Amino acid sequence: MKPSLMQWVLAALVAGATAACAPNMSPDSYAAGAVGQVNRTVRGVVVSARPVAIGGTQSGLGAGAGAVAGGVAGSAIGGNARANVIGAVGGAVIGGIAGAMAEDAATRQSGMEYVVQTENGALLTVVQGASPVLAPNQKVLVIYGARSRVIPDPT
C-alpha cells in the first residue's frame, strides 16, 4: 500500500522533532536560566585535548513520535477493523523503536575532551563541543557552573 500524504507529513514531523533534540554543546551558548548566575573561574593550561563522540539523547520524544506515526501508518493496513488494529499496534511498536533509534542517531555529536592543569596543580577534565579547538599548552580559563566550560585565556 502506498503511503498517504498524512503519513508523509507525520514522518517529516518525527524527523524534524528528533533533529531539534540535539543539545548545544558549544562553550559559547548559555541557557536562559544561566543569565545572571555567578560562576567560579580558575586559570589553567591544557594538558591534553582529544576528540570524543558524545552519545545521542533518549528523551522519549523520538520513540513517542515514532510510535504515533507508526500507529497511524499501520492502521491503514488491511481491509477490516481487526487488521487495522493489528497493523496499528505493530506499527506503533516498530515506529517507537525506529523513532528512538532516529533520535539517538540525530543527536549524536562530536566533541572535545580537555584535561586542564589549574594554577594550584589540580587536574580537571571537561568535555564540550568540538569548536573552538584548544591546543595542549594553551592557557585557558575553566568556568565552573551547572555546565562547566573551557575557554581561551585572553591575557
Side-chain angles (χ1 to χ4, degrees):
M1 177 175 267
K2 207 173 178 185
S4 70
L5 177 61
M6 182 60 148
Q7 291 165 338
W8 284 110
V9 169
L10 281 172
L13 287 173
V14 169
T18 301
C21 294
N24 186 344
M25 301 290 177
S26 169
D28 298 328
S29 68
Y30 284 83
V35 175
Q37 290 185 349
V38 176
N39 294 314
R40 182 172 180 241
T41 303
V42 297
R43 293 183 191 281
V45 175
V46 175
V47 174
S48 73
R50 69 184 184 110
V52 294
I54 300 170
T57 62
Q58 292 292 322
S59 69
L61 179 63
V68 169
V72 170
S75 69
I77 295 173
N80 60 37
R82 181 177 177 183
N84 290 349
V85 169
I86 291 170
V89 171
V93 169
I94 292 169
I97 292 169
M101 291 172 59
E103 177 182 359
D104 179 69
T107 57
R108 279 189 215 137
Q109 298 182 47
S110 296
M112 291 295 293
E113 175 193 78
Y114 295 106
V115 177
V116 176
Q117 186 167 24
T118 64
E119 288 180 330
N120 69 1
L123 290 176
L124 306 172
T125 303
V126 177
V127 175
Q128 61 188 31
S131 179
V133 176
L134 306 168
N137 299 318
Q138 183 174 355
K139 291 182 179 184
V140 294
L141 299 172
V142 179
I143 303 169
Y144 290 88
R147 189 171 137 204
S148 297
R149 306 158 195 285
V150 180
I151 61 171
D153 186 346
T155 59

